[in-house]
Amino acid sequence: MRQRNLAGAAAVLLTGFLAGMFAASSRGPVAASAQTARAGKTAAVSISTQEFQKLKSDAAKAKNAAGDQAHAMTSVAYHFNNLWFAGEHGNWPLAQFYFGETRSHLRWAVRIIPVRKDAQGREVKLTEILKSVENTPLKQVEEAIKAQDRTRFAKAYAFTLQSCYACHKTVAKPYLRLRIPTQPSEHLIDFDPPQEAHATAK
Amino acid sequence: MVANRFPVMRLVRSAAGVGLLLAVASSGRASQPVASAAKGKHDAAQRSNAWGSLRGKIVFRGTVPALPPLVRKGDPKATDAKVCAAHDVPDESLVVDPKLRGVRNVFVYLRRKPAKMHPDLSRPPAKGIVFDQKHCRFLPHALAVRVGQPVLLKSSDSVLHNTNIVGHKNVLLAAGGGPESFTFKEPSLVPVPVQCNFHPWMKAWMMAFDHPYFAVTGKTGEFRIEKLPPGKMQFRFWQERAGYVNSADGKLKKGILEVTIQPGKTTEVTIALDAKSLQLDKKAN
């Protein structure tokens, strides 16, 4: 009985010791920073100001390097234009490539400015507009590419252009009217399908 | 003995026996439909007597605020003005009948799925409900459906819209597009906002239920919920400006009304709302 009491007391002591050690270790940095703040308030502020200035400058550099929404939309236009010619030529792997680039650049553009305003000052959620475009006309474009169906591709492409223009109108840029392109943006790329594919198709 | 001696008599007797049997059988068959029809009527009567109804009206007390239209007719700044500003687009966050003072578009529903549901209502209707976009407005503005019941999304406008049932479906509809079928997979906790992001003033509400006991108040502010199981139950009232409504007459607290449904009877309620209960001093949701 006495032995059992001693063992219990030892267990309680050990638990208490461990709990104390844990509390001291977790409180350590907080206590240290509180001490620093008490001891040299001015020094702490000057360091943080320097850090803040550096962060501010880094952020400005990053912002400049990232480009603005117009930049991203120019890339969208470039890839979406080429997509038309890839599809028209029946070069489906190339069409799939330009489709992917168009979609990722659209997402990038919307990440840069997710909310714009309409002509009456109401908020326009570009992220939601893009979701609806991805769920409907862009999905139809991708399905047409997978099915290698030029008729469906042309229809879905035209529907996507309509939805892009609808978005331009919503954000008070109705002058950005769109049409089926007549020239590809890229002159280096051969839009014809590879010869083997030609042979197989024939 | 007699039969053995007179075979003709035996024949006559057995023929009579067969005839009697046939007569009994046929008479039984003839009376069966009559009996079952009567039983069916009796069951139906029993069924209708075993269930109750809730009928009510939501009225507005005080001066009805005049909400300016979201888009004014002829406003050249409106997106797709030719279509969207062809008429005034009213602010439907509060619609009050000018004569009867009934409040439209209030969701009224049994708070929890009951243990017992009327057999006629056990399954969601297979017929779809049309949810349209016309003159750059959603029609209807407030829609209550069963889980699994098709909602047919369409656009009667000559401009492009999206139907964004927030968190559920976001689809783009070309001019005159649809119908695109959509069904809720699970019940909603509160009404779900529906938006067209191309025309940011366009807003509506949808709510899905795993039971048939719900309604949306009509033009006169009236609603009716039928074939309810009898007993004490809690109904909830939700209006888009206030959320769960605290009524002006103190009957609703956090949108809850406790009602005892009696078998074969219709319980009637009238709820009064005012500017305070609808939080009209605050901006619409």
Side-chain angles (χ1 to χ4, degrees):
Chain A
M1 189 70 179
R2 204 176 159 191
Q3 268 183 334
R4 211 181 286 167
N5 281 344
L6 275 172
V12 168
L13 275 173
L14 184 64
T15 312
F17 177 72
L18 288 173
M21 288 285 284
F22 175 74
S25 69
S26 63
R27 212 176 50 197
V30 179
S33 67
Q35 275 174 357
T36 313
R38 274 198 297 272
K41 201 177 175 185
T42 319
V45 169
S46 73
I47 289 164
S48 118
T49 307
Q50 279 174 356
E51 279 177 354
F52 178 71
Q53 289 301 338
K54 191 176 179 305
L55 279 171
K56 207 174 157 186
S57 137
D58 287 350
K61 277 182 202 163
K63 203 175 168 187
N64 285 336
D68 58 9
Q69 196 176 46
H71 181 184
M73 287 308 291
T74 306
S75 299
V76 170
Y78 171 84
H79 293 296
F80 195 60
N81 174 306
N82 289 333
L83 172 60
W84 172 254
F85 294 96
E88 200 189 29
H89 285 76
N91 189 344
W92 302 113
L94 185 64
Q96 184 62 50
F97 167 77
Y98 281 127
F99 171 81
E101 290 299 309
T102 303
R103 188 168 55 188
S104 66
H105 281 81
L106 273 168
R107 287 175 182 172
W108 175 35
V110 164
R111 268 201 304 275
I112 296 167
I113 302 179
V115 178
R116 278 191 171 269
K117 293 211 165 160
D118 70 0
Q120 294 173 312
R122 291 188 180 95
E123 280 194 349
V124 177
K125 291 178 182 165
L126 298 182
T127 42
E128 295 304 312
I129 288 182
L130 179 57
K131 268 184 213 164
S132 74
V133 173
E134 284 198 32
N135 290 342
T136 320
L138 276 182
K139 191 178 165 198
Q140 290 171 14
V141 170
E142 191 170 31
E143 283 166 358
I145 292 170
K146 284 190 176 141
Q148 304 194 351
D149 185 328
R150 286 187 210 199
T151 313
R152 270 170 68 188
F153 173 82
K155 205 176 157 189
Y157 189 94
F159 186 19
T160 310
L161 278 182
Q162 279 175 30
S163 66
C164 294
Y165 179 52
C167 185
H168 295 171
K169 284 190 290 180
T170 301
V171 296
K173 292 177 177 13
Y175 40 81
L176 294 176
R177 288 187 292 129
L178 301 170
R179 59 179 180 182
I180 301 281
T182 49
Q183 290 284 321
S185 311
E186 180 54 66
H187 300 288
L188 266 177
I189 298 290
D190 183 355
F191 285 90
D192 283 332
Q195 286 306 309
E196 318 87 75
H198 258 316
T200 321
K202 281 168 192 170
Chain B
M1 274 305 257
V2 178
N4 286 343
R5 255 185 255 165
F6 301 99
V8 178
M9 280 296 284
R10 199 170 58 190
L11 201 69
V12 168
R13 245 191 356 220
S14 20
V18 169
L20 187 68
L21 272 173
L22 277 172
V24 167
S26 68
S27 72
R29 232 179 278 141
S31 67
Q32 212 171 4
V34 178
S36 88
K39 193 173 177 286
K41 268 187 188 171
H42 178 72
D43 282 354
Q46 280 261 312
R47 274 206 304 267
S48 67
N49 281 339
W51 305 86
S53 302
L54 176 70
R55 193 166 70 186
K57 188 171 180 179
I58 302 178
V59 291
F60 188 85
R61 254 192 218 163
T63 312
V64 179
L67 302 177
L70 298 172
V71 175
R72 282 191 192 283
K73 186 181 173 183
D75 184 349
K77 275 188 165 183
T79 304
D80 294 316
K82 272 187 188 169
V83 174
C84 298
H87 307 267
D88 272 354
V89 177
D91 182 345
E92 294 174 280
S93 64
L94 175 64
V95 182
V96 180
D97 183 87
K99 280 184 188 166
L100 301 166
R101 309 186 71 79
V103 183
R104 196 174 189 172
N105 297 329
V106 180
F107 288 87
V108 183
Y109 52 94
L110 193 60
R111 203 175 164 202
R112 289 195 179 89
K113 183 182 177 180
K116 218 167 69 169
M117 286 195 278
H118 193 284
D120 293 353
L121 306 174
S122 59
R123 284 185 185 180
K127 198 181 171 195
I129 300 179
V130 172
F131 186 72
D132 198 1
Q133 293 173 85
K134 200 171 183 180
H135 304 310
C136 302
R137 287 165 68 186
F138 285 111
L139 298 172
H141 182 73
L143 177 66
V145 292
R146 293 278 294 271
V147 168
Q149 180 178 11
V151 180
L152 307 172
L153 312 173
K154 63 172 277 201
S155 170
S156 296
D157 275 337
S158 57
V159 294
L160 191 140
H161 289 295
N162 72 319
T163 305
N164 184 3
I165 306 163
V166 176
H168 294 271
K169 190 177 180 90
N170 183 356
V171 68
L172 204 134
L173 293 170
E180 173 108 12
S181 186
F182 163 72
T183 52
F184 279 95
K185 304 274 183 290
E186 51 190 35
S188 325
L189 289 174
V190 286
V192 177
V194 185
Q195 306 162 344
C196 168
N197 302 101
F198 289 91
H199 305 99
W201 63 84
M202 287 178 69
K203 198 166 191 180
W205 300 90
M206 278 189 196
M207 189 165 186
F209 297 89
D210 54 1
H211 62 72
Y213 303 115
F214 55 82
V216 175
T217 55
K219 204 177 170 183
T220 56
E222 288 172 325
F223 66 91
R224 194 181 174 101
I225 302 174
E226 293 178 321
K227 297 176 180 175
L228 282 155
K232 198 182 261 189
M233 45 190 66
Q234 287 187 334
F235 287 87
R236 199 133 210 187
F237 291 68
W238 190 96
Q239 201 277 345
E240 65 180 276
R241 292 196 76 111
Y244 298 134
V245 184
N246 292 314
S247 63
D249 52 18
K251 285 180 189 166
L252 297 182
K253 278 177 187 153
K254 290 185 181 172
I256 294 174
L257 178 76
E258 206 162 82
V259 179
T260 302
I261 299 296
Q262 292 177 326
K265 288 187 180 172
T266 299
T267 307
E268 302 211 15
V269 290
T270 301
I271 307 286
L273 307 181
D274 61 7
K276 194 183 164 201
S277 59
L278 290 173
Q279 303 181 19
L280 295 184
D281 52 328
K282 291 181 186 169
K283 207 183 159 193
N285 282 318

